[in-house]
């Protein structure tokens, strides 16, 4: 029976980063992954393939729309969807191979198969051929991630009614696509197919898009998407969907009451969120019971059972790859006797549409609800020289700071490349920085990042370029 200091169940961003850190700290480590490839949902059927298609579709839209023509570039592009999917798969394969190399580099044993806990300190790995291997370990880290949340009354067949995985591999560009759910996944994947030629309608149960995001940013983003051709049906409850060989009939009715509406589309994408994946892990053998959502509770990544830890989507907090990475590192450092920590107040979120949406910290809605006195600084990309010269002026940056101390409480933006730019605010917040710290830091000109500085200036009312 193999003996380990740590066995990690799940090879996604949380799991493989935990494994790397464990290897660095000299812990004898094994990682178990059932998919047959490391990287989890993120690398295989989530973050990375979606970004490959988002990038490719942006290039296609620029070439076929007015963007290239305005720049004086005349082109007559032709879409090769097979090649677009092939380059996506090639990129994903390279990334997963890279993670596998990192396991070898850090002396981590990688076992392919289904991992389940079989009592305290034991993990059984069932390989594809049915053979089983038992690992004995001092610590078990559960990092099994999440799966798409099903929609009651709607059967996902990944033929006509698809989930996020199906939406990454459609064999054709739909003439019409209905997206159920106006969250990050639905809007990103809806953007891909919209740019490639589909007519996209978004059906959302709530009366707004991007729940949890700063309301002003979400409203501005909806207007931008509407200008791009998106159609929205908000405050709508889906009551059924019937698929045929040629399409789907989806019925929804107003949440507030009223007549039902039927939409016909080539495909329906169900993207109403994700839920923790905990089935078949043998949790009962160590006395762990997930809550009704399937989530495993944690206290500094401890499950309450000695030697069993939990990180990532399977436990509380935002379901984000970088949050799982941070938890994986902190969890292993605690196991190694170090001071592992994650600052949950400074976990950024990004929507990789065009333009992007980025957010970190408290929203105005949060601060108002908590009765916190704050100041706001805003700056539009219309007044940013780099954005203007590049014809990408939609959106703005908003910085929120404490009214008394000027400490940055949050930042929210919609605009070009704000997903990269938000990191500057994260660093400032991590060091307890004030808006004036950013306002008085020299930024290169001309760059989009100057919008961050100008918004910070605006907190104290001295924005200079708008």
């Amino acid at each position: 029976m193999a003996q380990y200091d740590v066995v990690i169940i799940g090879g996604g961003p949380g799991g493989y980063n935990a494994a790397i850190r464990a290897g660095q700290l000299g812990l004898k480590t094994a990682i178990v992954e059932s998919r047959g490839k490391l990287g989890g949902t993120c690398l295989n059927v989530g973050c990375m393939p979606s970004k490959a298609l988002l990038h490719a579709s942006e290039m296609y839209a620029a070439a076929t729309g007015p963007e290239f023509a305005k720049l004086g570039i005349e082109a007559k592009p032709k879409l090769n969807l097979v090649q677009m999917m092939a380059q996506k798969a090639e990129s994903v394969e390279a990334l997963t191979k890279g993670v596998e190399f990192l396991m070898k580099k850090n002396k981590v044993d990688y076992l392919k198969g289904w991992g389940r806990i079989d009592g305290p300190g034991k993990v059984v790995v069932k390989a594809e051929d049915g053979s089983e291997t038992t690992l004995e370990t001092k610590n078990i880290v559960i990092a099994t991630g999440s799966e798409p949340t099903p929609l009651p009354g709607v059967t996902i067949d990944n033929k006509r009614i698809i989930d996020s995985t199906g939406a990454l591999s459609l064999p054709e560009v739909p003439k019409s696509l209905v997206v159920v759910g106006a969250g990050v996944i639905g809007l990103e994947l809806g953007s891909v197919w919209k740019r490639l030629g589909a007519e996209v309608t978004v059906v959302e149960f709530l009366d707004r898009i991007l729940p949890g995001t700063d309301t002003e940013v979400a409203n501005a983003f909806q207007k931008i998407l509407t200008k791009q051709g998106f159609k929205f049906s908000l405050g709508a409850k889906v009551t059924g969907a019937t698929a045929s060989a040629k399409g789907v009939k989806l019925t929804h009715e107003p949440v507030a009451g009223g007549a039902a509406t039927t939409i016909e589309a080539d495909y329906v994408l169900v993207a109403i969120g994700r839920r923790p994946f905990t089935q078949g892990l043998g949790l009962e053998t160590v006395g762990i019971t997930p809550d009704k959502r399937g989530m495993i509770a944690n206290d500094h990544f401890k499950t309450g059972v000695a030697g069993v830890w939990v990180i990532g989507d399977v436990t509380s907090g935002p379901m984000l790859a970088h949050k799982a990475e941070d938890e994986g590192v902190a969890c292993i450092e605690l196991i190694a006797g170090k001071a592992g920590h994650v600052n949950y107040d400074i976990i950024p979120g990004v929507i990789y549409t065009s333009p992007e949406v980025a957010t970190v910290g408290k929203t105005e809605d949060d601060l108002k609800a908590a009765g916190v006195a704050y100041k706001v600084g805003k700056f539009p990309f219309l007044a940013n020289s780099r954005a203007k010269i590049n014809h990408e002026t939609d959106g703005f940056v908003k910085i929120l700071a404490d009214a008394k101390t000027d400490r940055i409480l949050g930042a929210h933006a919609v605009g070009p490349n704000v997903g990269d730019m938000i990191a500057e605010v994260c660093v400032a917040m991590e060091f307890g920085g004030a808006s004036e710290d950013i306002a008085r830091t020299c930024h290169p000109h001309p760059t989009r990042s100057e919008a961050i500085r100008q918004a910070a200036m605006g907190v104290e009312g001295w924005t200079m370029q708008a």
Side-chain angles (χ1 to χ4, degrees):
M1 188 180 295
Q3 305 276 336
Y4 291 94
D5 294 313
V6 183
V7 171
I8 300 160
I9 305 177
Y16 76 70
N17 279 283
I20 291 169
R21 190 65 181 127
Q24 290 175 340
L25 293 175
L27 301 175
K28 184 169 175 53
T29 305
I31 188 167
V32 182
E33 171 55 53
S34 63
R35 191 186 299 272
K37 294 182 179 180
L38 291 169
T41 294
C42 179
L43 262 67
N44 290 282
V45 290
C47 322
M48 305 319 299
S50 66
K51 302 312 164 285
L53 293 183
L54 282 160
H55 175 68
S57 64
E58 282 181 31
M59 297 296 99
Y60 178 74
T64 57
E67 189 172 340
F68 270 25
K70 191 175 185 68
L71 296 175
I73 303 171
E74 296 182 2
K76 293 182 180 180
K78 179 181 178 182
L79 177 64
N80 183 339
L81 187 60
V82 172
Q83 173 57 26
M84 189 175 287
M85 292 297 177
Q87 62 85 30
K88 174 202 70 173
E90 182 181 335
S91 298
V92 168
E93 181 70 15
L95 288 169
T96 58
K97 291 292 185 185
V99 175
E100 194 167 334
F101 165 75
L102 290 173
M103 297 302 102
K104 294 177 182 177
K105 178 183 176 182
N106 290 282
K107 298 180 173 59
V108 175
D109 291 343
Y110 167 34
L111 289 84
K112 297 181 181 181
W114 182 268
R116 73 176 190 276
I117 301 171
D118 190 28
K122 289 185 181 180
V123 173
V124 174
V125 183
K126 186 175 183 178
E128 192 174 353
D129 63 6
S131 62
E132 292 190 344
T133 302
T134 300
L135 312 178
E136 195 168 84
T137 181
K138 297 173 185 176
N139 296 279
I140 299 169
V141 177
I142 301 169
T144 47
S146 61
E147 62 183 351
T149 300
L151 180 61
V154 175
T155 301
I156 295 174
D157 58 13
N158 271 326
K159 294 178 181 178
R160 290 291 170 178
I161 303 176
I162 57 178
D163 59 15
S164 56
T165 301
L168 291 167
S169 301
L170 288 179
E172 62 183 355
V173 177
K175 291 181 180 178
S176 56
L177 171 68
V178 172
V179 178
V180 182
V184 176
I185 296 171
L187 296 181
E188 284 190 353
L189 293 175
S191 290
V192 167
W193 296 108
K194 176 71 186 70
R195 287 195 284 262
L196 295 180
E199 180 180 292
V200 177
T201 301
V202 179
V203 179
E204 167 59 45
F205 183 82
L206 300 178
D207 61 359
R208 54 162 290 174
I209 70 170
L210 299 179
T213 305
D214 186 89
T215 299
E216 184 182 17
V217 168
N219 290 341
F221 186 48
Q222 184 181 338
K223 290 178 182 177
I224 293 170
L225 292 178
T226 299
K227 188 169 65 174
Q228 291 178 2
F230 275 73
K231 296 178 181 178
F232 291 93
S233 183
L234 304 179
K237 178 183 178 181
V238 172
T239 55
T242 304
S244 67
K246 294 184 177 181
V248 185
K249 290 183 178 181
L250 181 134
T251 304
H252 65 82
E253 60 186 34
V255 173
T261 301
T262 298
I263 307 174
E264 295 190 27
D266 292 339
Y267 296 90
V268 168
L269 164 59
V270 177
I272 60 171
R274 297 182 66 82
R275 63 181 183 182
F277 186 80
T278 53
Q279 304 95 310
L281 296 180
L283 300 176
E284 68 283 354
T285 67
V286 288
I288 294 175
T289 303
D291 67 16
K292 61 182 180 181
R293 297 165 295 174
M295 187 174 291
I296 301 172
N298 85 89
D299 177 12
H300 292 83
F301 323 116
K302 298 176 183 178
T303 63
V305 175
V308 182
W309 308 70
V310 63
I311 61 172
D313 288 4
V314 80
T315 190
S316 54
M319 290 185 174
L320 296 169
H322 43 282
K323 173 259 194 185
E325 289 183 18
D326 277 16
E327 288 184 330
V329 170
C331 176
I332 293 300
E333 289 177 344
L334 288 171
I335 288 172
K338 295 181 177 293
H341 174 68
V342 175
N343 186 347
Y344 289 98
D345 290 330
I346 310 179
I347 296 179
V350 180
I351 304 168
Y352 296 91
T353 45
S354 182
E356 294 178 345
V357 176
T359 181
V360 66
K362 302 297 184 184
T363 66
E364 282 204 70
D365 312 76
D366 296 331
L367 297 176
K368 288 175 182 176
V372 176
Y374 65 96
K375 291 184 178 181
V376 182
K378 286 198 296 186
F379 189 78
F381 279 101
L382 184 63
N384 174 265
S385 57
R386 181 64 183 273
K388 199 162 187 174
I389 209 75
N390 286 4
H391 310 292
E392 46 188 25
T393 55
D394 284 332
F396 61 91
V397 175
K398 175 165 67 173
I399 290 181
L400 309 173
D402 187 278
K404 292 182 179 179
T405 67
D406 193 36
R407 185 168 181 164
I408 300 169
L409 302 175
H412 311 278
V414 53
N417 294 99
V418 293
D420 291 318
M421 289 159 51
I422 200 73
E424 172 184 358
V425 184
C426 295
V427 173
M429 290 176 70
E430 195 65 59
F431 282 89
S435 71
E436 188 175 2
D437 292 324
I438 293 179
R440 295 193 180 276
T441 298
C442 188
H443 285 58
H445 173 80
T447 63
R448 304 174 188 90
S449 71
E450 290 175 283
I452 295 276
R453 185 185 191 188
Q454 293 292 323
M457 289 176 174
V459 172
E460 293 297 332
W462 61 290
T463 298
M464 298 180 65
Q465 295 175 4

